[in-house]
Amino acid sequence: MNKQKAIALIVIVFVVLSGLYLGGFLHGRSRVTTQRDQCLQQLKDFEARLAGAENQAHFFKARIALYQTAFDLDQRNFGLANAHLREADEPLAKLNPEALRIDRPTLDALRQEIAKTNIQVAIDLEVQRNQILNFERRLDSLIPRSGPSLLPTAPSVPPMTPSPASAPPTPATPETPENP
């Protein structure tokens, strides 16, 4: 009889432990699945932010190339001015206008005008400089001013408050005698 009780007890313990193991396994697996789903969602969010940051970088590279063109023109360096003007086309070609809510035909027309422009050696640079500055203004005007900003927002960091030990001492003010 003792042998049968021992075997029955072993079977009961085995069934209980198997049930606990299976329950823990299923519970752990559901947590892993939940964490995996959260990680995948974070990955999608980061990919979207990366695409937005790359788009902003293309826009700013084009702006920098146009500003550099104007600077080179002011320095009467016509070869570099032409080279920088050509550099503005590559980032504009990579720009995703829909993401920035830019009208694609307007952007394409601006790109074509920039591509057709050839800076010539001249004594009076006013016309060419105004043309480059006009390109810059038109590129800036393509970005809608309402809604989210093109510039990424900085993470909010609480302002640092100096500790009392590091605060500079306040200077003493001399007392003025009062006349009665």
Side-chain angles (χ1 to χ4, degrees):
M1 209 41 118
N2 279 339
K3 203 175 196 183
Q4 289 177 345
K5 285 183 182 180
I7 292 175
L9 186 61
I10 290 174
V11 169
I12 291 172
V13 168
F14 178 74
V15 169
V16 168
L17 289 178
S18 296
L20 290 174
Y21 176 78
L22 183 62
F25 178 77
L26 293 176
H27 178 68
R29 187 175 179 142
S30 69
R31 291 185 77 195
V32 168
T33 303
T34 303
Q35 287 178 346
R36 186 194 70 204
D37 292 343
Q38 289 173 347
C39 289
L40 288 175
Q41 182 60 39
Q42 285 179 347
L43 180 62
K44 288 178 186 177
D45 293 344
F46 286 129
E47 286 174 347
R49 288 177 58 198
L50 175 64
E54 286 175 343
N55 209 27
Q56 291 171 357
H58 295 313
F59 179 80
F60 288 127
K61 281 180 184 180
R63 285 183 69 198
I64 289 170
L66 289 173
Y67 282 120
Q68 188 65 42
T69 301
F71 177 77
D72 292 336
L73 197 57
D74 288 341
Q75 297 296 315
R76 298 193 179 283
N77 195 335
F78 302 103
L80 277 178
N82 261 326
H84 285 121
L85 187 62
R86 300 294 162 250
E87 285 177 17
D89 186 51
E90 180 184 345
L92 286 177
K94 293 179 181 179
L95 193 66
N96 180 359
E98 289 79 23
L100 293 174
R101 297 185 320 269
I102 295 176
D103 183 40
R104 182 178 287 278
T106 308
L107 178 64
D108 290 340
L110 179 61
R111 282 188 58 218
Q112 288 174 357
E113 283 186 55
I114 290 173
K116 287 190 302 186
T117 303
N118 187 21
I119 297 178
Q120 302 293 322
V121 176
I123 294 174
D124 185 16
L125 302 175
E126 183 178 356
V127 172
Q128 293 183 82
R129 188 171 193 287
N130 285 338
Q131 185 178 21
I132 299 301
L133 293 176
N134 185 33
F135 289 154
E136 293 170 4
R137 281 189 291 275
R138 287 176 51 199
L139 183 61
D140 286 344
S141 71
L142 290 177
I143 300 297
R145 299 297 178 215
S146 63
S149 172
L150 175 66
L151 295 173
T153 57
S156 61
V157 178
M160 294 180 53
T161 56
S163 63
S166 65
T170 56
T173 56
E175 293 183 23
T176 57
E178 293 184 24
N179 293 333

